């Protein structure tokens, strides 16, 4: 109060002074003559300046009034609107016609302004939010802990401290890895003739690896998952294993492929770091390992469409293991243990891992250590870290608004199911029932606020290891055992633990639960803000909500009924028509070329996501129309002469603005199930009449092709 008063007084003094002064100029010419030339000049300049400012203000007012008249609507100038408007203005590239390339129109300047730093594989709006989230988590974890902190928070901080303590990691050097390798019977290529194959049994080795915290999914994958035919029960799943490369394709390309070359180099250097001096011998051993892994890759069934994979792989594996030299099998298995240890070791090992990552993703330097450690913490202590995050800050009002949006979008989707003309009545009825039973979770499970509940999760975990390496192995082992022990438990639908990582920038559909989930982390930034018009929110998080709902009815989701069981509820005729509609999408996307890498999208692998994108955007748009019918038209944004409908589409596109390194883009196109960002904009929008109407796109223009695809 005192401060405000003082300012007020000061202000009025200045005003009075100025007014007096102007009067003096007019009524007392002798006073004017007494002024020096410099004083006269300054006074005239000052008066001119005042006049200029007044004229500018006047012009601005006239322009604003005209602008509002021209648009004929009111303009929102709340902080939320101004911020959003400013972000959009900085993203748009108005030199491109929205009917020609809407992605470039909506994101052109965003892309121009962004810079990919050396430790990044690209810049995306998702990534920006994730970086902010990581910073927030870092400040939480580095805060001075309260005295009576629960043990799960203490263990988490301990892992973080060990991860950050590079001096100790450097000092430990390769010692922890050697200790673990000894317990596995040694890596044959390092042990040379000392290694004895009579002691080797691959199953025993797998069991040992599991006990030491290494992945046991090396030659086959064994996991406990719900029975898809009866999703209340957990059963053992035997599946094809993961490989050392992110995808089998890299192994099948042969030794000239840059990724495989880099992979081989990591293997050779690892052997050298562990003391092998003879290069020819080492390379020879490594070549045999890669040849064996290539045979594994050849046996793996690559069709990703079937849900139940016929384990023809198993019989092939059997003969492969019989034919192969035990030494090579052991070399390969232990290699996988070594490979998964690189990140926990000292600098030269981490640099080795980076050299591989560089070829794979284009990233050229290591991420800042705290960033790496937060990510590792998220993997190993995700629930505890999320509990810390959510206690710090979550806006309940956002949750309410998001629930309302889900309601509108779900209702719209139900209307569409009721009106599509290609479904028979029986299938339609089952589809409607399934849509009605979708369960929604937004924000986080309230159990995260309950220390006893969170503590139950980490119940049998004790961390007393001296080194970071051992700590990581211990936690890995803890989680593997926890996963496998689920075999004796039922699969609890909507278990709170499956909605316990709100510090996540993503959203989910779970076919076994028939549920959609939106963690707190995604209810911000480009996706959502409670203080901006809802056309932006429907374009942002609304598109995502629609996307997740549609997943329940994509090529895979539709194979599950309303209770989450793998049951066919489609009549033959309708099933056929669905497949025809999907073929249109597969062909549309399969014809898109990703210019940066000169490769086409895999229309088959990405079909589920593309169906979800197309349904999601359309349902969100139509749901917004319903919202306006109920609540009235919303004001426009300042500085942009765009309608509400146009802004909806701009907002939807802005979610996908991205600048990605070609290597990383290639990796995504070759291994991912999502289309690259650009096509998540132009794909669905060019299929929507509503888009063309909003932007007046002539029929036949690139964004308004005559032939359109529509599944939902
Ligand atoms: Zn999806």
């Amino acid at each position: 109060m005192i401060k405000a008063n003082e300012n007020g007084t000061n202000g009025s003094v200045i005003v009075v002074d100025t007014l007096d002064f102007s009067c003096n100029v007019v009524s007392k010419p002798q006073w004017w003559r007494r002024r020096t030339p410099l004083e006269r000049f300054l006074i005239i300049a000052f008066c001119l300046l005042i006049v200029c400012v007044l004229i500018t203000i006047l012009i601005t007012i006239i322009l604003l009034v005209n602008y509002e008249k021209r648009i004929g609507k009111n303009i929102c100038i709340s902080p939320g609107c101004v911020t959003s408007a400013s972000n959009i203005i900085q993203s748009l590239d108005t030199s491109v016609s929205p009917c020609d390339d809407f992605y470039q129109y909506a994101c052109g300047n965003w892309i121009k302004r962004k810079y990919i730093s050396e430790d990044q594989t690209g810049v995306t709006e998702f990534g920006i939010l994730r970086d902010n989230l990581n910073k927030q988590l870092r400040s939480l974890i580095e805060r001075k802990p309260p005295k009576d902190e629960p043990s799960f928070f203490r263990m988490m901080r301990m892992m973080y401290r060990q991860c950050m303590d590079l001096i100790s990691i450097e000092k430990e050097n390769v010692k922890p890895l050697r200790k673990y390798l000894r317990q596995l019977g040694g890596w044959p290529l390092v042990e040379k003739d000392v290694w004895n194959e009579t002691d080797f049994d691959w199953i025993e080795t797998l069991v040992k690896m599991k006990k030491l915290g290494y992945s046991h999914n090396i030659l086959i994958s064994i996991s406990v998952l719900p029975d898809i035919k009866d999703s209340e029960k957990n059963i053992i799943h035997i599946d094809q294993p993961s490989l050392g490369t992110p995808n089998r394709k890299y192994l099948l390309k042969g030794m000239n492929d840059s990724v495989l070359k880099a992979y081989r180099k990591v293997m050779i250097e690892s052997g050298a770091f562990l003391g092998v001096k003879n290069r020819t011998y080492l390379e020879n051993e490594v070549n045999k390992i890669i040849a064996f892994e290539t045979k594994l890759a050849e046996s793996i069934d690559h069709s990703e469409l079937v849900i139940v994979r016929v384990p023809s792989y198993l019989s092939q594996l059997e003969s492969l293991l019989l034919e192969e030299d035990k030494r090579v099998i052991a070399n390969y298995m232990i290699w996988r243990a070594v490979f998964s240890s690189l990140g926990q070791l000292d600098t030269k090992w981490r640099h080795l891992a980076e050299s591989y990552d560089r070829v794979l993703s284009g990233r050229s330097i290591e991420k800042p250590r705290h960033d790496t450690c937060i990510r590792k913490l998220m993997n190993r202590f995700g629930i505890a870290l999320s509990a810390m995050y959510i206690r710090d800050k979550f806006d309940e009002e956002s949750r309410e608004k998001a629930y309302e949006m889900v309601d509108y979008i779900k209702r719209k989707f139900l209307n569409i199911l009721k009106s599509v003309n290609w479904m028979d009545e029986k299938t339609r009825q089952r589809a409607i029932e399934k849509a009605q039973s979708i369960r929604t979770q937004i924000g986080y499970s309230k159990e995260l606020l309950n220390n006893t509940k969170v503590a139950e999760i980490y119940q049998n975990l004790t961390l007393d290891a001296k080194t970071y390496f051992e700590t990581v192995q211990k936690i890995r082992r803890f989680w593997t055992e926890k996963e496998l022990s689920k075999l004796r438990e039922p699969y609890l639908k909507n278990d709170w633990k499956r909605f316990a990582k709100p510090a996540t920038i993503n959203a989910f559909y779970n076919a076994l639960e028939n549920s959609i989930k939106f963690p707190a982390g995604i209810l911000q930034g480009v996706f959502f803000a409670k203080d901006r018009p809802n056309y932006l929110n429907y374009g942002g998080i609304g598109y995502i909500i629609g996307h997740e709902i549609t997943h329940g009815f994509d090529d895979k989701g539709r194979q599950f009924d309303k209770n989450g069981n793998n049951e066919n509820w489609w009549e033959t005729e309708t099933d056929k028509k669905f497949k025809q509609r999907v073929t249109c999408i597969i062909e549309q996307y399969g014809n898109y070329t990703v210019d940066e890498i000169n490769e086409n999208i895999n229309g088959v692998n990405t079909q589920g996501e593309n169906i979800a994108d197309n349904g999601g955007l359309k349902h969100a748009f139509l749901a917004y129309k319903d919202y306006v019918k109920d609540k009235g038209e919303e004001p426009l944004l300042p500085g942009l002469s765009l309608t509400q409908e146009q802004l909806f589409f701009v907002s939807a596109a802005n979610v996908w603005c991205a600048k990605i390194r070609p290597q990383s883009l290639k990796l995504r196109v070759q291994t991912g199930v999502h289309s690259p960002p650009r096509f998540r904009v132009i794909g669905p929008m060019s299929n929507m009449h509503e888009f063309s109407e909003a932007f007046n796109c002539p029929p036949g223009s690139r964004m308004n092709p005559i032939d359109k695809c529509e599944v939902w």
Side-chain angles (χ1 to χ4, degrees), residues 547-548 551 609 612 674 680:
H547 172 102
E548 299 307 335
H551 266 318
E609 293 300 333
H674 298 96
R680 304 192 72 169

Side-chain angles (χ1 to χ4, degrees), residues 506-509 547-548 551 554 608-610 612-613 673-674 680:
N506 213 336
F508 308 93
Y509 172 74
H547 172 102
E548 299 307 335
H551 266 318
D554 70 10
E609 293 300 333
N610 299 334
D613 278 351
V673 290
H674 298 96
R680 304 192 72 169

Side-chain angles (χ1 to χ4, degrees), residues 158-356:
M158 176 185 151
M159 176 179 163
Y160 182 73
R161 265 197 315 275
Q162 288 184 334
C163 179
M164 290 295 287
D165 183 5
L166 288 175
I167 296 175
S168 299
I169 291 174
E170 214 63 33
K171 230 188 268 167
E172 281 296 317
N173 200 277
V174 74
K175 258 186 280 167
L177 176 63
R178 278 193 197 283
K179 187 176 140 198
Y180 275 68
L181 292 186
R182 263 200 306 277
Q183 295 182 63
L184 289 172
W187 195 10
L189 69 79
V190 174
E191 305 299 322
K192 294 181 197 134
D193 297 337
V194 179
W195 191 81
N196 186 350
E197 75 164 43
T198 46
D199 300 337
F200 175 77
D201 177 273
W202 71 272
I203 295 182
E204 260 173 41
T205 306
L206 272 190
V207 173
K208 272 191 219 157
M209 288 177 81
K210 181 186 138 269
K211 276 193 184 148
L212 288 172
Y214 285 113
S215 167
H216 58 281
N217 294 331
I218 287 180
L219 294 168
I220 47 167
S221 149
I222 302 168
S223 50
V224 173
L225 290 168
D227 181 354
I228 55 170
K229 289 283 172 198
D230 173 8
S231 59
E232 311 225 315
K233 214 170 67 190
N234 278 320
I235 53 168
I236 292 185
H237 276 241
I238 308 265
D239 207 340
Q240 305 171 140
S242 68
L243 297 164
T245 55
N247 187 294
R248 60 195 281 279
K249 279 182 205 149
Y250 293 106
L251 283 156
L252 301 182
K253 278 181 187 167
M255 272 328 298
N256 284 329
D257 180 65
S258 58
V259 172
L260 196 53
K261 265 188 200 159
Y263 180 63
R264 179 172 174 269
K265 188 174 164 257
V266 179
M267 220 183 275
I268 293 173
E269 293 306 323
S270 298
F273 286 171
L274 283 164
V276 184
K277 298 249 159 46
N278 185 338
R279 210 68 187 182
T280 326
Y281 156 80
L282 184 55
E283 286 184 15
N284 193 22
E285 293 275 284
V286 163
N287 289 346
K288 283 187 205 157
I289 298 178
I290 291 184
F292 175 66
E293 192 169 26
T294 307
K295 280 185 217 159
L296 281 177
E298 282 162 356
S299 323
I300 288 178
D301 178 8
H302 63 282
S303 81
E304 306 195 19
L305 271 184
V306 254
I307 291 218
V308 193
R309 293 194 186 91
V310 188
S312 68
Y313 169 78
L314 285 186
S315 57
Q316 292 196 47
L317 176 70
E318 201 185 352
S319 51
L320 201 64
L321 291 176
L322 281 174
E323 283 163 22
E324 195 61 69
D325 199 349
K326 274 188 177 179
R327 186 181 175 87
V328 176
I329 301 171
N331 256 335
Y332 172 65
M333 292 177 76
I334 309 297
W335 151 247
R336 293 291 301 276
V338 173
F339 194 36
S340 72
S341 304
L342 303 186
Q344 284 73 259
L345 291 165
D346 58 283
T347 319
K348 69 174 182 201
W349 289 89
R350 292 201 309 278
H351 282 174
L352 192 57
E354 278 156 40
S355 70
Y356 175 59

Side-chain angles (χ1 to χ4, degrees), residues 334-525:
I334 309 297
W335 151 247
R336 293 291 301 276
V338 173
F339 194 36
S340 72
S341 304
L342 303 186
Q344 284 73 259
L345 291 165
D346 58 283
T347 319
K348 69 174 182 201
W349 289 89
R350 292 201 309 278
H351 282 174
L352 192 57
E354 278 156 40
S355 70
Y356 175 59
D357 191 46
R358 185 153 46 234
V359 180
L360 212 51
S361 68
R363 193 193 341 255
S364 58
I365 59 166
E366 195 178 7
K367 282 204 157 292
R369 188 64 187 173
H370 56 82
D371 204 85
T372 306
C373 292
I374 290 289
R375 278 163 207 261
K376 298 211 177 203
L377 227 50
M378 205 33 149
N379 282 337
R380 311 287 167 212
F381 273 105
I383 296 180
L385 192 55
S386 286
M388 198 177 260
Y389 167 73
I390 219 65
R391 290 164 195 212
D392 185 54
K393 173 175 121 197
F394 179 67
D395 185 1
E396 293 298 328
E397 206 186 312
S398 302
R399 194 202 305 254
E400 293 313 310
K401 268 199 122 176
Y403 267 118
E404 184 195 63
M405 292 173 74
V406 171
D407 265 357
Y408 270 102
I409 295 168
K410 221 164 127 182
R411 229 180 299 149
K412 192 79 244 174
F413 182 57
L414 278 167
N415 284 341
I416 287 171
L417 284 178
K418 284 174 192 159
S419 63
V420 288
N421 56 15
W422 53 273
M423 287 184 108
D424 69 277
E425 286 317 305
K426 280 186 195 159
T427 312
R428 187 196 306 279
Q429 202 43 47
R430 291 175 203 132
I432 290 172
E433 276 169 29
K434 177 166 182 182
Q436 278 167 339
S437 336
I438 294 177
R439 224 185 92 117
T440 311
Q441 287 177 295
I442 295 171
Y444 60 93
S445 298
K446 62 179 187 321
E447 283 84 351
L448 276 184
L449 302 174
N450 181 337
N451 283 346
T452 320
K453 291 276 180 197
V454 179
E456 274 170 22
I457 294 177
Y458 300 98
Q459 210 169 29
N460 296 319
L461 178 66
T462 43
L463 288 187
D464 47 14
K466 293 277 183 305
T467 64
Y468 172 61
F469 189 97
E470 279 176 279
T471 297
V472 169
Q473 292 306 114
K474 269 202 141 175
I475 305 174
R476 280 179 171 172
R477 178 185 169 174
F478 169 78
W479 282 115
T480 309
E481 281 177 357
K482 207 169 174 70
E483 287 306 308
L484 294 180
S485 71
K486 281 186 189 155
L487 183 60
R488 286 173 287 275
E489 296 163 12
Y491 178 79
L492 290 179
K493 297 218 169 143
N494 304 307
D495 186 351
W496 74 269
K497 297 182 206 78
R498 275 196 299 279
F499 193 50
K501 290 184 186 171
T504 308
I505 318 288
N506 213 336
F508 308 93
Y509 172 74
N510 181 330
L512 299 170
E513 293 179 343
N514 193 22
S515 68
I516 48 175
K517 305 182 190 210
F518 306 95
I522 201 170
L523 293 180
Q524 51 174 330

